[in-house]
Amino acid sequence: MIGIGIIGAGFFGAIHARAIAAVPGARVAAVCRQDIDAARAFAREHGGNAHADWRALLDDPAVDVALIATPHHLHAEMAIAAAQAGKHILLEKPMAPTVAECDAINAAADRAGVHLMVGHVLHFALPCLAAQEVVASGDIGRPVLGSSWLIKLWMESNRQAWHLSRRTGGGMLLTAGIHALDRLVWLMGGPVASVSAMAGTHFHDQEADDSALMLLRFADGRIGQVASVGYRDGGVGFAMDLVCEAGTLRLDFDQGVLLGRGGAWTPVPNSIEPDWAQRAVEREWQAMLALIGGTGPNPADGRYGRHLIACIEAAQQSERSRREIALA
């Protein structure tokens, strides 16, 4: 039985805890939250030893894997310490706010010989898996151009003060828009070479961005675009289009996956499920256990996580300089 320690036993930590309970071979072994009373309440519901100090959780011998689901600016210190403690790591996205921090995390995991997976949960969401299967089949040829967007309410009930500041890794793009970026880069199946972007804060009184548009130039010359918008009020837009050599593919979390040919759309069977997010986190933990056990690949390793942060860092630099920026 693999013991999992949850650093950040809050809103999303609870989603992980429920997923862990549904995965054979895994259990919540320890939880951490600065408020020890809240940590104990979390532990009573989901199991495990309660800690107020994340370092104490890493010292807990019952913990084999550290889940890090904390504010973004804390990821690097915690992930490096987890690697040094010999713990495998599931690190919630974004991997870290900067490429330099991603490099430090990857170096620590390599030195310690531990497995590191970045929590890009869309790699386990049924609509995305169905779209990836269509692309991998070659039936509609290779993706040539992609457009991916996440347009949603920014001030949700779980929004925290640290989400609103650049200094703590906040902003719509790092917090939520990265899902749209991840989905595009993954399904296009190739590295990004350069980025142009416009970003700003158009809807809220905060330091960090709530809106961004990115243009991606892939290393082989293909192109894509990403929209990341956190509005005051509106309807959710969480979809993408892939224009391929012999057809088009639309991925929509309300309608599932649609295949475009001959001027018409055809639904792809079994491409949508109720409560897709919770099921995706369960698949994520199944993949993590397979990785640890040597029976499965790493769907989102530290190099991939770093690449997405390099795209965002280039977007931030492009906004400042008004130029296309090559990735570091």
Side-chain angles (χ1 to χ4, degrees):
M1 184 71 73
I2 299 295
I4 297 160
I6 300 177
I7 304 176
F11 173 80
F12 208 71
I15 293 175
H16 277 284
R18 290 192 292 271
I20 291 163
V23 174
R27 70 181 183 94
V28 176
V31 303
C32 176
R33 194 165 173 175
Q34 285 183 320
D35 181 340
I36 189 60
D37 291 334
R40 286 170 179 153
F42 190 102
R44 282 194 297 272
E45 182 175 357
H46 300 290
N49 305 319
H51 300 280
D53 186 337
W54 59 270
R55 295 171 185 84
L57 182 144
L58 293 179
D59 288 337
D60 192 328
V63 173
D64 303 300
V65 181
L67 163 68
I68 300 173
T70 59
H72 306 155
H73 66 296
L74 304 177
H75 284 190
E77 180 184 11
M78 292 176 172
I80 291 167
Q84 292 170 342
K87 312 297 185 184
H88 302 297
I89 305 161
L90 179 56
L91 178 58
E92 263 303 334
K93 63 80 203 158
M95 184 174 176
T98 68
V99 167
E101 289 171 300
C102 293
D103 287 339
I105 293 168
N106 282 327
D110 289 346
R111 283 193 300 269
V114 299
H115 292 293
L116 165 67
M117 183 190 294
V118 183
H120 287 293
V121 71
L122 294 191
H123 291 236
F124 309 97
L126 184 61
C128 297
L129 291 170
Q132 197 275 336
E133 187 174 337
V134 172
V135 172
S137 74
D139 189 44
I140 56 173
R142 193 176 185 217
V144 176
L145 182 151
S147 180
S148 181
W149 58 95
L150 179 48
I151 302 171
K152 61 174 285 187
L153 179 69
W154 175 238
M155 288 299 178
E156 297 173 309
S157 60
N158 64 322
R159 189 66 58 233
Q160 303 293 322
W162 64 266
H163 286 124
L164 311 182
S165 172
R166 295 189 191 97
R167 292 183 296 275
T168 46
M172 172 68 187
L173 184 55
L174 268 172
T175 300
I178 191 171
H179 285 303
L181 173 65
D182 166 40
R183 186 175 52 190
L184 179 62
V185 172
W186 172 40
L187 292 177
M188 287 288 285
V192 176
S194 61
V195 175
S196 301
M198 294 179 284
T201 310
H202 297 289
F203 300 102
H204 303 89
D205 182 15
Q206 63 183 51
E207 180 195 14
D209 69 274
D210 61 18
S211 308
L213 298 173
M214 299 172 61
L215 293 177
L216 311 180
R217 192 184 305 277
F218 288 82
D220 58 7
R222 295 177 300 152
I223 56 176
Q225 61 179 353
V226 173
S228 165
V229 182
Y231 52 58
R232 285 196 193 98
D233 191 11
V236 175
F238 192 20
M240 74 175 296
D241 286 337
L242 283 179
V243 184
C244 302
E245 294 165 323
T248 57
L249 199 66
R250 174 161 294 170
L251 193 166
D252 188 294
F253 277 78
D254 293 321
Q255 302 180 54
V257 179
L258 302 171
L259 187 61
R261 275 179 165 165
W265 293 102
T266 303
V268 173
N270 303 314
S271 63
I272 194 167
E273 64 184 346
D275 199 15
W276 68 264
Q278 190 68 47
R279 302 288 82 77
V281 179
E282 291 172 14
R283 294 187 189 103
E284 186 173 51
W285 279 108
Q286 290 167 354
M288 187 69 188
L289 265 61
L291 176 63
I292 294 168
T295 60
N298 192 333
D301 64 15
R303 272 67 191 172
Y304 179 79
R306 178 202 188 275
H307 185 62
L308 296 184
I309 298 304
C311 290
I312 291 176
E313 205 168 80
Q316 293 166 341
Q317 187 177 346
S318 176
E319 160 60 23
R320 292 191 299 268
S321 65
R322 304 296 198 266
R323 293 186 299 109
E324 184 172 349
I325 303 298
L327 263 63

